[in-house]
Every structure is written in C-alpha cells, then in structure tokens.
Amino acid sequence: MPILYDNPLSRNGYKARLVASHLGLTLDVVTKDLLAGESRQADFLVKNAAGKVPVLELDDGTCLAESNAIVLFLAEGSELSPAAPLERAQVLRWMFFEQSAVLPTIGTARFLRITGRDKERPDVYAQRIEMAQDSLAALERHFSVHPWAALDRFTIADITLYAYASVAEDAGLDLAAYPAFVAWRKRVQSLPAHVGPNAGF
C-alpha cells in the first residue's frame, strides 16, 4: 500500500487524500510533525530533499514529492485526469494557476494569519491579501460561466484549486463579492466521495 507522509495542517497533502477518496484508493497516511522538524530530519530528506510534505512512497520505495505531481500520478488513467492532449492541457492550466496564483496568495496569507505573523509583517500580509483578491476575482469570472474548473466536469483541476480555496476565510478574506466561487466550492463539497481535510488521520 502506498504511504502518504502528510500533516493535517497541509492543504497540499489534502489534495492527495481527496483524489484517493474520489477514486477509492487506499493510502497509508503517516503524520509528520512539522513543528517538531520531522520533515527536516535526515531520514525524511532522503525521501524529499526539499524537506516538505506531502511525499508519496510507493511499494518499491520510490518517493514522489510535490502535491500536484502526486495528484497527477494517482489520477492517471482515471476520469479525473483526461488523456486527450487539449483536455489534459486545460486541466493542467488550472493546476498551474493554483500553484502560481492560489497557493502563494491564499495559502501564504492563511499561514501568516494562523501563526500570528500577519501582525509581525502586516505589509507582507496585506500584499498577499491583495494578490489573493485578484486570484479570487479571476476564479469568480470563470465560475460565473462554468460549473467546474476545466471541461465543464469535475477533474483534478477542481481538487487542486479547492484545497486552498476552501480556506480563504482562514486567510482573512471576505467572500461576499465572489458568489460564483462560493457556489463552486459547495458543488465540490456536495460530491458523494468528498471528504474533509482531516480524512485519513
């Protein structure tokens, strides 16, 4: 059984666990205490030189890091990850958008806020919030005319976007101006195989 090294606070790890739930896959989730530095210890750095979770370890000992790479691997050949080149590119487009415009903005603002660093670096926090609002505006425009991120059906593009989009309020963002975005989140949450962020622990 594949092992997923993860932490309940990691929304990147949540992506992998969401994919597993939607595809009926079983992962052996092993918690790494990030605050205690467990992801920076020598035995873990062999698995991921970047010293971060999540890491997926396969039965043969092969390790795969980076959340969206793990998502692509787990979903390969399934209905969540289309094989046709243009369809696949449309899915990857939104996965790239998540990495460049959602995780660094909503994700970083959330981290600053839950660790109290928003008070220590208010300038950095304000900048991330401003950038996050731009990202949410783009998502609002898209979801105003499309029910899902790519191909007008649920794919791994939605899973990767949802992981950090679902905690926008934790980052300190007011979502009143983004009703289509909020409606999309509710559609994701209403799917039968949807699980919460603590699933698997």
Side-chain angles (χ1 to χ4, degrees):
M1 180 190 306
I3 299 170
L4 181 71
Y5 297 97
D6 199 3
N7 182 280
L9 291 177
S10 172
R11 287 287 159 157
N12 283 320
Y14 181 35
K15 297 173 189 175
R17 288 180 279 114
L18 264 180
V19 171
S21 179
H22 279 283
L23 295 179
L25 305 175
T26 301
L27 301 174
D28 180 12
V29 180
V30 174
T31 302
K32 285 293 176 182
D33 187 339
L34 305 181
L35 298 180
E38 289 185 358
S39 67
R40 296 287 180 170
Q41 295 175 357
D43 62 335
F44 190 77
L45 291 173
V46 172
K47 302 179 188 299
N48 181 12
K52 297 178 181 179
V53 297
V55 172
L56 183 70
E57 184 172 349
L58 306 180
D59 293 340
D60 66 358
T62 301
C63 290
L64 180 63
E66 296 299 328
S67 60
N68 285 3
I70 294 171
V71 164
L72 280 166
F73 176 78
L74 291 175
E76 189 67 35
S78 76
E79 68 277 7
L80 295 181
S81 183
L86 182 56
E87 291 189 347
R88 190 174 185 85
Q90 292 285 12
V91 168
L92 289 172
R93 164 201 173 189
W94 287 105
M95 294 177 73
F96 296 152
F97 179 85
E98 185 270 336
Q99 288 286 286
S100 65
V102 176
L103 187 155
T105 61
I106 295 174
T108 300
R110 171 181 177 254
F111 173 77
L112 292 171
R113 197 163 187 245
I114 64 178
T115 59
R117 296 179 191 182
D118 58 327
K119 304 295 190 299
E120 298 172 9
R121 294 295 308 275
D123 54 333
V124 175
Y125 176 70
Q127 180 190 48
R128 294 294 170 166
I129 287 294
E130 183 178 356
M131 294 167 64
Q133 289 169 337
D134 288 341
S135 299
L136 286 173
L139 290 169
E140 177 68 17
R141 288 189 290 271
H142 180 77
F143 290 123
S144 293
V145 293
H146 298 283
W148 303 105
L151 314 180
D152 285 340
R153 63 182 175 85
F154 182 72
T155 66
I156 52 175
D158 296 285
I159 288 175
T160 54
L161 283 170
Y162 178 83
Y164 277 100
S166 64
V167 290
E169 294 91 338
D170 293 347
L173 289 156
D174 182 355
L175 300 185
Y178 312 108
F181 167 79
V182 172
W184 163 76
R185 288 198 318 187
K186 290 179 180 178
R187 282 193 292 277
V188 174
Q189 294 162 0
S190 70
L191 294 172
H194 182 77
V195 292
N198 293 321
F201 290 100

